[in-house]
Amino acid sequence: MVSLYGVKITKRDKQEGGFPVETLKGTVKRIIYKNEDTGFHIISLQNNDFDGWDSRVVVKGTFFPIAEDDELTIYGEYADDPKYGRQFNCETYEVNLPTDAKSIEKYLAAGMIKGIGPARAKKIVKQFKEDTMRVIEEEPELLTLIPGITDKTVARIRESMTERLGQQRVMIQLCGLGVTLGLAQKLWKNYKEKTLHVIQSDPYKLIDDVWGVGFSKADDIALKQGMSRTATKRIQAGIVYTCLLY
């Protein structure tokens, strides 16, 4: 497996003495529970190091949008819950892309990318084999070599792939700014692929555009990006916000 984003989504980069205690690699088989606001998940993960039902591991932690059949590398440690038994507590994780043809076909057939279903996934993988994911992300126009795939279909696939990967990348960067999953999802819903541009160019715009964001939160995001406390934009936003309170 290869890392899709080249970065770990993390609450803390290292534990005392170095890296997190244990590593768990596997496939998301079931999302048992998720909190849309906080991003807290309980998932059933198929451990790649073992076979059979006993290889299923219950994992708890904060995840950005994930789906069944996603391949993850999770860092953390096992813990014994008095009520639910042995579980794995996630501290950091990576989302991975499949690299072998069989896994790629399964991934695409699951409907992860709009415009590609089971039959089309089989044809695409037959044509591009292990290079399929790279082609879809970097050279989607080559998909027209497959009978039945038109320029319109390619555009749909490109848009879906861009949104799926783009959302993950945006979420990762927002996490680094201390933005909660709930707010990150609101920002993505409002700005889509322009999210980071808005955050970086004028974070105080969030006050007007996103319900629930006040000066304090927008200011926190601005300062974490290095904005000066005496910046004109900051002073103006503060004055406007203060005037609206009275």
Side-chain angles (χ1 to χ4, degrees), residues 58 60 79-87:
V58 174
K60 297 192 303 183
D80 292 314
D81 188 286
K83 184 175 181 180
Y84 299 105
R86 193 165 176 76
Q87 300 178 337

Side-chain angles (χ1 to χ4, degrees), residues 29-209:
K29 304 306 293 184
R30 182 186 168 204
I31 297 177
I32 302 171
Y33 169 83
K34 67 177 178 179
N35 185 304
E36 298 287 356
D37 293 326
T38 65
F40 176 77
H41 283 63
I42 300 176
I43 63 175
S44 176
L45 192 83
Q46 175 75 43
N47 190 336
N48 287 348
D49 294 329
F50 302 96
D51 295 319
W53 180 258
D54 290 342
S55 64
R56 296 286 183 91
V57 179
V58 174
V59 180
K60 297 192 303 183
T62 299
F63 294 86
F64 286 102
I66 57 173
E68 293 181 358
D69 292 323
D70 273 357
E71 296 282 342
L72 306 178
T73 299
I74 302 175
Y75 304 88
E77 56 189 351
Y78 282 98
D80 292 314
D81 188 286
K83 184 175 181 180
Y84 299 105
R86 193 165 176 76
Q87 300 178 337
F88 194 86
N89 292 327
C90 169
E91 286 291 341
T92 74
Y93 75 97
E94 298 171 341
V95 182
N96 305 304
L97 277 179
T99 56
D100 63 278
K102 184 178 180 180
S103 297
I104 292 172
E105 182 179 337
K106 182 179 179 181
Y107 177 86
L108 295 178
M112 298 291 184
I113 302 174
K114 295 177 181 178
I116 301 179
R120 186 164 284 169
K122 190 176 189 68
K123 292 178 182 179
I124 293 174
V125 174
K126 183 179 180 180
Q127 174 74 31
F128 300 109
K129 299 180 174 56
E130 286 77 12
D131 202 32
T132 296
M133 299 309 293
R134 186 199 65 78
V135 168
I136 292 175
E137 184 174 5
E138 299 177 9
E139 299 182 277
E141 64 277 2
L142 294 180
L143 295 174
T144 55
L145 295 174
I146 309 297
I149 296 184
T150 64
D151 289 337
K152 185 177 181 180
T153 303
V154 169
R156 187 183 181 196
I157 292 172
R158 179 190 283 115
E159 181 181 0
S160 179
M161 188 72 166
T162 298
E163 181 166 353
R164 179 171 171 78
L165 302 188
Q167 182 180 14
Q168 290 281 2
R169 288 166 178 156
V170 168
M171 293 291 188
I172 291 170
Q173 293 195 48
L174 292 178
C175 178
L177 295 174
V179 175
T180 64
L181 178 60
L183 177 55
Q185 290 174 330
K186 285 183 181 179
L187 295 178
W188 177 261
K189 183 177 181 180
N190 199 75
Y191 301 120
K192 295 294 184 181
E193 67 279 357
K194 297 180 181 179
T195 300
L196 292 180
H197 173 71
V198 172
I199 290 291
Q200 293 163 359
S201 63
D202 187 7
Y204 299 103
K205 185 175 176 13
L206 274 58
I207 300 173
D208 296 324
D209 295 349

